[in-house]
Amino acid sequence: MPHLLGSAYLLEAGPDHLNDIYDKESKALEPWHDSPGEVSSHDWRDYLGNPKYQRAYLDFFEDELVLNGYDWHKVLDKYLLKGKEPLINNLISGLGHPLIHLGYAYELSSREIAMEALSMASVTYDYMHKYLDNPSYTKPSASGTQSLLEILCRVQQDSRFDGLSTQPGPGNLEPLFEKHEDAVLEYWNSWQISDPTKQFQASQMAAAALLVAPHKPGGNSYDFFIVHLLTTSHAVRILLPLLPVNIHVPLVRQWWLLTIAVYIAQLRPEVVLTSVTDYDRKGRGWSWVDKQAIQGEHALDPHYVKAVRAIKTAAETWGDEDEFYLKAAVRFADEFDGWGGFGS
C-alpha cells in the first residue's frame, strides 16, 4: 500500500484518489499473524529468512525506534549498515521489495515505512547475500565492458541458459543459481564500473528499456517481474545520495545481480531499443502520462503507477534530450493492458 499511495501522492494526486487507493488496497491486505516467539537484540539474526517472524521483527524494530528517540536513521544505521554481514547486502531478496520499501521510506521521510523495510529485509533474507558479503565472488572479468545492454545482449545469446525452463517466473531463480552460478557471476563481474554516476545513469535507461522494449503492440502483457528491475533501480537512485559512500557501488552491483537473474528467469526477452527510440508519441507529453497514472484506467494498479513514476523521475534526474524516457513512458502508459510473465 505505501508504494501506490506514495507514488500517487508524489504525482500530486488529489485526496479523493488517495482515499480510493486506500479503500482498494486495504481490502487486499493479509491479517497479521502472531509469530512463534519474540525477537530481541541478542538473537535477531537467528530468525533471518523466516517469514513466520514478520510480526516479531516489526515489533522489535519499532521498540528499537522508541529506544533511539524515534530517530529512524539511527535504527537503520545499526541494523541495516553495520555488522559482519549487514542487511544492506541482501535488499534484493523477495524480488527487491525490501529495497523498494526502503526507497519509499527515505522519499517520504517515514519512520514507519523504514521499520517495515527492515522487517521485510529480515524475513526475506536469502542466499543472494553471500555474493555481496563474500568478496571471493567478485573477480576480474576477461570480457569486461561498461555497457549493461551489451552484457544483456550476450546473455540473451548464451546457449548455456537455453534449458533452464520452458516457462518464465520467479521459480526459475533458485535453479538458475544452482545450475548456472558460474555463468551468472561471469556476467555479473563483466560490468566494469569506472564512472559510477555516468554508469548508473545508463543503468536506469537499461531498466526502462528492459520493461518497454521487449513488448510487442497487441501482444502479451508487460512483464510483472521485469518491472521490479525498474522500480528497484528507482529505489537505488533515491538511496545513493543518502547512504555512506562505501555502500554506493555494492548497492548498484546488487541491483545488477538481480537484473541478470530476473532477466534470465524471464527467459531473456530480446531488447530492441528502436521500439522505443522510433516510437511515435503523437504529441503526448508528460502531462498526458501523469494523467494516465492518477486518472487513467490503471490508476489503482500499484506496479503500473510505480513504473510510470520511475521512468518520469529518471528523466527529471538525468535529462531527456532524445526523449527516450518520454517515449518509453508514453508507450508503456498507452499499451499497458495488465501484467504477464507468470508462466502457465
Side-chain angles (χ1 to χ4, degrees):
M1 182 185 291
H3 301 178
L4 179 54
L5 274 174
S7 293
Y9 171 76
L10 293 166
L11 285 170
E12 300 183 359
D16 290 343
H17 183 55
L18 296 177
N19 283 327
D20 289 342
I21 290 173
Y22 183 85
D23 289 342
K24 176 182 179 291
E25 289 293 295
S26 61
K27 293 174 183 176
L29 295 176
E30 295 182 6
W32 278 113
H33 297 289
D34 290 336
S35 299
E38 295 182 348
V39 171
S40 73
S41 59
H42 303 291
D43 63 4
W44 72 277
R45 293 192 66 93
D46 293 349
Y47 308 104
L48 292 178
N50 190 335
K52 292 180 180 180
Y53 281 83
Q54 182 182 33
R55 184 59 189 262
Y57 270 114
L58 185 58
D59 289 343
F60 168 65
F61 289 125
E62 287 183 339
D63 287 345
E64 289 295 297
L65 184 63
V66 175
L67 293 174
N68 283 275
Y70 292 95
D71 187 338
W72 55 279
H73 296 91
K74 283 186 178 179
V75 181
L76 289 179
D77 183 62
K78 180 177 180 180
Y79 291 101
L80 184 71
L81 303 178
K82 292 184 177 177
K84 184 180 179 182
E85 295 182 345
L87 285 182
I88 189 73
N89 283 344
N90 197 214
L91 294 182
I92 57 172
S93 63
L95 204 59
H97 281 105
L99 177 56
I100 297 168
H101 218 69
L102 186 65
Y104 278 101
Y106 275 96
E107 202 166 8
L108 298 169
S109 192
S110 170
R111 64 194 185 200
E112 291 83 6
I113 298 177
M115 296 307 100
E116 290 175 1
L118 275 177
S119 304
M120 199 179 293
S122 298
V123 299
T124 61
Y125 196 77
D126 65 12
Y127 62 95
M128 298 281 274
H129 78 92
K130 68 182 181 182
Y131 301 111
L132 277 297
D133 284 328
N134 188 340
S136 68
Y137 289 106
T138 298
K139 302 173 183 177
S141 171
S143 57
T145 176
Q146 296 183 9
S147 171
L148 293 186
L149 290 175
E150 179 184 332
I151 298 172
L152 291 174
C153 183
R154 294 180 197 166
V155 173
Q156 203 267 335
Q157 297 171 4
D158 194 330
S159 61
R160 288 178 291 180
F161 303 116
D162 286 353
L164 177 65
S165 177
T166 59
Q167 296 289 334
N172 293 332
L173 288 172
E174 285 199 40
L176 170 65
F177 281 93
E178 289 170 0
K179 299 175 182 178
H180 302 292
E181 180 186 72
D182 287 346
V184 172
L185 296 183
E186 173 189 324
Y187 288 114
W188 183 49
N189 285 311
S190 291
W191 190 29
Q192 296 179 338
I193 303 178
S194 58
D195 187 341
T197 301
K198 183 177 180 180
Q199 288 175 257
F200 180 66
Q201 176 181 352
S203 77
Q204 292 227 278
M205 191 198 80
L210 277 168
L211 174 64
V212 181
H215 186 261
K216 294 178 175 58
N220 295 326
S221 303
Y222 279 90
D223 195 299
F224 177 78
F225 300 100
I226 285 181
V227 74
H228 288 77
L229 306 180
L230 175 62
T231 50
T232 49
S233 174
H234 172 79
V236 172
R237 187 194 67 78
I238 296 299
L239 295 172
L240 286 180
L242 303 170
L243 294 177
V245 174
N246 66 305
I247 299 293
H248 293 185
V249 170
L251 185 61
V252 173
R253 294 190 76 238
Q254 188 177 165
W255 170 83
W256 174 228
L257 180 61
L258 177 68
T259 297
I260 295 172
V262 170
Y263 178 66
I264 298 171
Q266 295 309 105
L267 307 186
R268 300 169 292 155
E270 186 177 8
V271 180
V272 183
L273 286 181
T274 53
S275 68
V276 177
T277 57
D278 293 348
Y279 180 75
D280 180 7
R281 57 186 181 85
K282 299 177 181 177
R284 293 168 292 184
W286 286 114
S287 60
W288 181 87
V289 172
D290 288 349
K291 187 175 181 180
Q292 303 314 301
I294 59 179
Q295 297 179 27
E297 179 184 357
H298 304 289
L300 295 179
D301 184 308
H303 294 87
Y304 170 81
V305 178
K306 286 192 294 181
V308 168
R309 184 169 169 268
I311 297 172
K312 180 183 180 183
T313 55
E316 292 171 342
T317 300
W318 308 110
D320 196 25
E321 271 189 44
D322 58 4
E323 297 188 340
F324 179 87
Y325 290 113
L326 178 56
K327 291 177 180 179
V330 171
R331 185 181 174 208
F332 173 72
D334 183 45
E335 297 178 358
F336 182 81
D337 61 353
W339 296 108
F342 301 98
S344 58

